[in-house]
Amino acid sequence: MQWNRKDLLELYDLTPEEIELILDTAAEFKKVSQRRVKKVPALRGKTVVNFFVEPSTRTRVSFELAEQRLSADIVNVQASASSLLKGESLLDTIKNIESLQVDLVVMRHSAPGAQAFIARHLNCGVINAGDGAHGHPTQALLDIFTIREKLGRIKDLKVTIVGDILHSRVARSNMWGLLKLGAHVTFAGPSTLVPREFEEVGVRVCHNLDEAVADADVVNMLRIQHERQTLGFFPSTGEYSRFYGLKEETLKKMKKDVLVMHPGPINRDVELASSVADGEHSVILEQVTNGLAVRMAVLYLVAGCVKK
Ligand code: CP
Protein backbone atom coordinates (compact mmCIF):
# COMPACT_ATOMS: atom_id res chain seq x y z
CA MET A 1 0.00 0.00 0.00
CA GLN A 2 1.49 3.32 -1.08
CA TRP A 3 0.26 6.79 -0.06
CA ASN A 4 -0.35 9.06 -3.07
CA ARG A 5 -2.27 12.12 -1.80
CA LYS A 6 -0.68 15.55 -1.38
CA ASP A 7 -3.50 16.63 0.99
CA LEU A 8 -5.38 15.19 3.96
CA LEU A 9 -8.80 16.83 3.85
CA GLU A 10 -11.34 14.36 5.31
CA LEU A 11 -11.60 10.65 6.17
CA TYR A 12 -14.62 10.33 3.87
CA ASP A 13 -12.13 10.53 0.95
CA LEU A 14 -9.88 7.69 2.17
CA THR A 15 -10.01 3.95 1.60
CA PRO A 16 -9.84 1.60 4.62
CA GLU A 17 -6.33 0.65 3.44
CA GLU A 18 -5.19 4.29 3.47
CA ILE A 19 -6.54 4.75 7.01
CA GLU A 20 -4.75 1.56 8.12
CA LEU A 21 -1.52 2.85 6.53
CA ILE A 22 -1.71 6.07 8.58
CA LEU A 23 -2.38 4.06 11.78
CA ASP A 24 0.50 1.64 11.10
CA THR A 25 2.87 4.52 10.30
CA ALA A 26 1.78 6.29 13.51
CA ALA A 27 2.57 3.16 15.52
CA GLU A 28 6.16 3.34 14.20
CA PHE A 29 6.44 7.08 14.93
CA LYS A 30 5.11 6.56 18.47
CA LYS A 31 8.34 4.67 19.18
CA VAL A 32 10.36 7.79 18.23
CA SER A 33 8.76 9.78 21.05
CA GLN A 34 9.69 7.03 23.52
CA ARG A 35 13.42 7.31 22.67
CA ARG A 36 15.94 9.43 24.56
CA VAL A 37 16.50 11.53 21.40
CA LYS A 38 12.95 12.15 20.14
CA LYS A 39 13.84 13.29 16.63
CA VAL A 40 14.20 11.84 13.10
CA PRO A 41 15.35 13.59 9.88
CA ALA A 42 12.28 12.57 7.80
CA LEU A 43 11.20 16.17 6.96
CA ARG A 44 14.64 17.81 6.96
CA GLY A 45 14.66 20.55 4.31
CA LYS A 46 10.83 20.77 4.23
CA THR A 47 8.97 23.88 5.39
CA VAL A 48 5.60 23.67 7.15
CA VAL A 49 3.30 26.63 7.87
CA ASN A 50 0.75 26.26 10.67
CA PHE A 51 -2.18 28.57 9.95
CA PHE A 52 -4.85 28.47 12.66
CA VAL A 53 -7.74 30.85 12.11
CA GLU A 54 -9.68 29.33 15.06
CA PRO A 55 -8.41 28.69 18.62
CA SER A 56 -6.67 25.41 19.43
CA THR A 57 -4.49 23.93 22.14
CA ARG A 58 -4.09 20.18 21.49
CA THR A 59 -4.08 20.21 17.68
CA ARG A 60 -1.79 23.22 17.27
CA VAL A 61 0.76 22.13 19.86
CA SER A 62 0.88 18.53 18.68
CA PHE A 63 1.26 19.51 15.01
CA GLU A 64 4.13 21.82 15.92
CA LEU A 65 5.81 19.17 18.07
CA ALA A 66 5.28 16.56 15.34
CA GLU A 67 6.96 18.88 12.80
CA GLN A 68 9.88 19.50 15.19
CA ARG A 69 10.33 15.77 15.79
CA LEU A 70 10.44 15.22 12.01
CA SER A 71 13.10 18.00 11.69
CA ALA A 72 10.97 20.30 9.49
CA ASP A 73 11.40 24.09 9.36
CA ILE A 74 8.27 25.63 10.90
CA VAL A 75 6.45 28.95 10.65
CA ASN A 76 3.38 29.69 12.80
CA VAL A 77 1.08 32.32 11.34
CA GLN A 78 -1.24 34.12 13.75
CA ALA A 79 -4.39 34.81 11.74
CA SER A 80 -5.26 37.67 14.10
CA ALA A 81 -1.95 39.37 13.25
CA SER A 82 -2.05 38.64 9.50
CA SER A 83 -3.22 40.72 6.55
CA LEU A 84 -6.54 38.83 6.61
CA LEU A 85 -7.51 41.65 8.97
CA LYS A 86 -6.80 44.18 6.21
CA GLY A 87 -9.28 42.39 3.96
CA GLU A 88 -6.92 40.10 2.02
CA SER A 89 -8.75 36.98 0.87
CA LEU A 90 -7.89 33.58 2.31
CA LEU A 91 -6.76 32.34 -1.10
CA ASP A 92 -4.48 35.35 -1.70
CA THR A 93 -3.04 34.94 1.80
CA ILE A 94 -2.27 31.26 1.32
CA LYS A 95 -0.94 31.70 -2.26
CA ASN A 96 1.46 34.37 -0.98
CA ILE A 97 2.61 32.01 1.76
CA GLU A 98 3.09 29.22 -0.81
CA SER A 99 5.26 31.56 -2.91
CA LEU A 100 7.83 31.43 -0.11
CA GLN A 101 8.65 27.83 -1.18
CA VAL A 102 6.49 26.23 1.50
CA ASP A 103 5.90 22.47 1.26
CA LEU A 104 2.92 21.99 3.59
CA VAL A 105 0.17 24.14 5.11
CA VAL A 106 -1.64 22.87 8.22
CA MET A 107 -4.83 24.88 8.56
CA ARG A 108 -7.78 25.25 10.95
CA HIS A 109 -10.64 27.42 9.73
CA SER A 110 -14.24 28.07 10.76
CA ALA A 111 -15.59 27.65 7.20
CA PRO A 112 -16.50 24.08 6.18
CA GLY A 113 -14.53 23.18 3.05
CA ALA A 114 -11.93 25.97 3.41
CA GLN A 115 -9.01 23.52 3.20
CA ALA A 116 -10.50 21.64 0.24
CA PHE A 117 -10.93 24.99 -1.53
CA ILE A 118 -7.33 26.14 -1.06
CA ALA A 119 -5.93 22.67 -1.81
CA ARG A 120 -7.41 22.88 -5.31
CA HIS A 121 -5.37 26.04 -5.97
CA LEU A 122 -2.03 25.05 -4.42
CA ASN A 123 0.87 22.80 -5.37
CA CYS A 124 1.96 22.47 -1.75
CA GLY A 125 0.22 19.95 0.54
CA VAL A 126 -2.72 20.91 2.74
CA ILE A 127 -3.67 19.20 6.02
CA ASN A 128 -7.07 19.89 7.55
CA ALA A 129 -6.74 20.66 11.28
CA GLY A 130 -10.51 21.28 11.59
CA ASP A 131 -12.96 23.04 9.23
CA GLY A 132 -16.11 24.37 10.88
CA ALA A 133 -18.56 21.60 11.72
CA HIS A 134 -17.39 19.56 8.71
CA GLY A 135 -14.29 17.56 9.58
CA HIS A 136 -11.35 17.04 11.92
CA PRO A 137 -9.59 14.08 10.31
CA THR A 138 -6.48 13.95 12.50
CA GLN A 139 -8.66 13.98 15.66
CA ALA A 140 -10.63 11.00 14.35
CA LEU A 141 -7.41 9.23 13.36
CA LEU A 142 -5.97 9.66 16.85
CA ASP A 143 -9.25 8.47 18.38
CA ILE A 144 -9.27 5.39 16.13
CA PHE A 145 -5.54 4.78 16.79
CA THR A 146 -6.23 4.86 20.55
CA ILE A 147 -9.15 2.43 20.26
CA ARG A 148 -7.10 0.04 18.11
CA GLU A 149 -4.15 0.24 20.50
CA LYS A 150 -6.34 -0.44 23.54
CA LEU A 151 -8.77 -3.03 22.14
CA GLY A 152 -6.68 -4.56 19.34
CA ARG A 153 -9.14 -3.92 16.50
CA ILE A 154 -11.88 -1.65 15.14
CA LYS A 155 -14.02 -4.12 13.18
CA ASP A 156 -17.31 -5.02 14.91
CA LEU A 157 -16.66 -2.78 17.93
CA LYS A 158 -19.62 -0.75 19.20
CA VAL A 159 -18.67 2.94 19.45
CA THR A 160 -21.14 5.45 20.93
CA ILE A 161 -20.54 9.17 20.38
CA VAL A 162 -22.58 11.40 22.71
CA GLY A 163 -23.39 15.11 22.53
CA ASP A 164 -23.69 17.95 20.06
CA ILE A 165 -23.44 15.83 16.92
CA LEU A 166 -25.10 18.54 14.82
CA HIS A 167 -22.18 20.95 15.20
CA SER A 168 -19.39 18.41 15.67
CA ARG A 169 -16.58 17.94 13.14
CA VAL A 170 -15.12 15.31 15.48
CA ALA A 171 -18.31 13.21 15.27
CA ARG A 172 -18.43 13.40 11.47
CA SER A 173 -14.78 12.43 10.94
CA ASN A 174 -15.04 9.62 13.52
CA MET A 175 -18.18 8.38 11.82
CA TRP A 176 -16.51 8.04 8.39
CA GLY A 177 -13.32 6.48 9.75
CA LEU A 178 -15.07 4.02 12.06
CA LEU A 179 -17.65 2.93 9.48
CA LYS A 180 -14.93 2.37 6.86
CA LEU A 181 -13.05 0.12 9.31
CA GLY A 182 -16.17 -1.91 10.16
CA ALA A 183 -17.25 -0.52 13.56
CA HIS A 184 -20.90 -0.07 14.62
CA VAL A 185 -21.48 3.62 15.37
CA THR A 186 -24.22 5.09 17.58
CA PHE A 187 -24.88 8.83 17.89
CA ALA A 188 -26.64 9.84 21.13
CA GLY A 189 -28.02 13.08 22.53
CA PRO A 190 -31.14 15.24 22.45
CA SER A 191 -33.14 15.11 19.22
CA THR A 192 -32.30 18.78 18.55
CA LEU A 193 -28.58 17.90 18.39
CA VAL A 194 -28.73 14.38 16.89
CA PRO A 195 -30.68 14.39 13.61
CA ARG A 196 -32.13 11.11 12.28
CA GLU A 197 -30.51 11.82 8.85
CA PHE A 198 -27.34 10.05 10.04
CA GLU A 199 -29.26 6.74 9.91
CA GLU A 200 -29.06 6.98 6.11
CA VAL A 201 -25.30 6.30 6.21
CA GLY A 202 -25.57 3.43 8.68
CA VAL A 203 -25.35 5.13 12.08
CA ARG A 204 -27.74 4.15 14.91
CA VAL A 205 -29.39 7.26 16.39
CA CYS A 206 -30.52 7.09 20.02
CA HIS A 207 -31.95 9.77 22.31
CA ASN A 208 -31.64 7.80 25.56
CA LEU A 209 -28.16 7.73 27.12
CA ASP A 210 -28.55 4.46 29.10
CA GLU A 211 -29.74 2.66 25.99
CA ALA A 212 -27.00 4.16 23.79
CA VAL A 213 -24.11 3.14 26.06
CA ALA A 214 -25.41 -0.17 27.50
CA ASP A 215 -23.39 -2.48 25.22
CA ALA A 216 -20.77 0.02 23.97
CA ASP A 217 -17.09 -0.93 23.83
CA VAL A 218 -16.17 2.76 23.53
CA VAL A 219 -18.02 5.92 24.60
CA ASN A 220 -16.74 9.19 23.13
CA MET A 221 -18.21 12.19 24.95
CA LEU A 222 -18.30 15.47 23.02
CA ARG A 223 -18.00 18.98 24.37
CA ILE A 224 -21.23 20.86 24.87
CA GLN A 225 -20.73 24.13 23.08
CA HIS A 226 -21.90 26.81 25.50
CA GLU A 227 -21.92 29.31 22.62
CA ARG A 228 -24.88 27.38 21.11
CA GLN A 229 -26.94 27.33 24.31
CA THR A 230 -28.77 30.57 23.58
CA LEU A 231 -30.03 29.03 20.34
CA GLY A 232 -32.35 26.77 22.36
CA PHE A 233 -30.96 23.35 21.44
CA PHE A 234 -31.54 22.32 25.08
CA PRO A 235 -33.21 24.12 28.01
CA SER A 236 -30.14 24.53 30.27
CA THR A 237 -26.67 23.13 30.89
CA GLY A 238 -28.00 21.52 34.10
CA GLU A 239 -30.78 19.75 32.23
CA TYR A 240 -28.39 18.57 29.51
CA SER A 241 -26.02 17.22 32.13
CA ARG A 242 -28.84 15.39 33.96
CA PHE A 243 -29.94 13.49 30.84
CA TYR A 244 -26.73 13.21 28.77
CA GLY A 245 -23.77 13.75 31.12
CA LEU A 246 -21.72 10.60 31.78
CA LYS A 247 -21.60 9.98 35.55
CA GLU A 248 -20.40 7.18 37.83
CA GLU A 249 -23.90 5.75 38.15
CA THR A 250 -24.19 5.29 34.36
CA LEU A 251 -20.66 3.91 34.13
CA LYS A 252 -21.57 1.15 36.64
CA LYS A 253 -24.22 -0.13 34.17
CA MET A 254 -21.79 -0.25 31.23
CA LYS A 255 -19.31 -2.92 30.05
CA LYS A 256 -16.62 -3.43 32.68
CA ASP A 257 -13.79 -2.72 30.21
CA VAL A 258 -15.44 0.19 28.33
CA LEU A 259 -13.15 2.98 27.09
CA VAL A 260 -14.20 6.55 27.91
CA MET A 261 -12.93 9.14 25.44
CA HIS A 262 -13.25 12.90 24.92
CA PRO A 263 -11.53 15.02 22.25
CA GLY A 264 -11.10 17.98 24.63
CA PRO A 265 -11.53 20.61 25.83
CA ILE A 266 -13.77 19.11 28.56
CA ASN A 267 -16.58 20.93 30.35
CA ARG A 268 -16.04 19.11 33.63
CA ASP A 269 -19.25 17.97 35.33
CA VAL A 270 -21.35 18.95 32.31
CA GLU A 271 -20.91 16.27 29.62
CA LEU A 272 -18.49 14.27 31.75
CA ALA A 273 -18.24 13.91 35.54
CA SER A 274 -14.77 14.86 36.73
CA SER A 275 -14.40 11.50 38.48
CA VAL A 276 -15.11 9.70 35.17
CA ALA A 277 -12.80 11.99 33.17
CA ASP A 278 -9.97 11.14 35.56
CA GLY A 279 -11.11 7.57 36.30
CA GLU A 280 -9.80 4.13 35.36
CA HIS A 281 -11.81 3.86 32.11
CA SER A 282 -10.62 7.22 30.75
CA VAL A 283 -8.05 7.29 27.93
CA ILE A 284 -8.36 11.03 27.34
CA LEU A 285 -4.72 11.95 27.92
CA GLU A 286 -3.58 8.90 25.93
CA GLN A 287 -5.62 10.30 23.02
CA VAL A 288 -3.56 13.49 23.27
CA THR A 289 -0.29 11.52 23.41
CA ASN A 290 -1.32 9.51 20.34
CA GLY A 291 -2.20 12.71 18.50
CA LEU A 292 1.51 13.44 18.23
CA ALA A 293 2.30 10.09 16.57
CA VAL A 294 -0.71 10.32 14.25
CA ARG A 295 0.22 13.85 13.14
CA MET A 296 3.85 12.78 12.54
CA ALA A 297 2.50 9.99 10.32
CA VAL A 298 0.18 12.30 8.37
CA LEU A 299 2.90 14.93 7.86
CA TYR A 300 5.39 12.28 6.73
CA LEU A 301 3.02 10.59 4.26
CA VAL A 302 1.62 13.79 2.77
CA ALA A 303 5.05 15.46 2.47
CA GLY A 304 6.22 12.49 0.43
CA CYS A 305 3.65 13.31 -2.27
CA VAL A 306 4.27 17.08 -2.60
CA LYS A 307 5.95 17.78 -5.96
CA LYS A 308 8.33 20.73 -5.94
N1 CP B 1 -9.58 18.30 20.16
C1 CP B 1 -9.17 19.49 19.66
O1 CP B 1 -9.21 19.74 18.45
O2 CP B 1 -8.68 20.33 20.62
P1 CP B 1 -8.12 21.79 20.31
O3 CP B 1 -9.27 22.62 19.80
O4 CP B 1 -7.56 22.28 21.61
O5 CP B 1 -7.07 21.66 19.25
Side-chain angles (χ1 to χ4, degrees), residues 26-40:
E28 292 305 311
F29 277 125
K30 188 164 177 177
K31 294 175 195 161
V32 172
S33 292
Q34 290 159 348
R35 291 187 203 153
R36 197 171 56 81
V37 178
K38 302 176 175 55
K39 207 158 176 152
V40 290

Side-chain angles (χ1 to χ4, degrees), residues 55-60 108 136 139 263-265:
S56 168
T57 298
R58 281 146 287 268
T59 313
R60 195 177 53 76
R108 172 171 287 190
H136 194 348
Q139 178 68 46

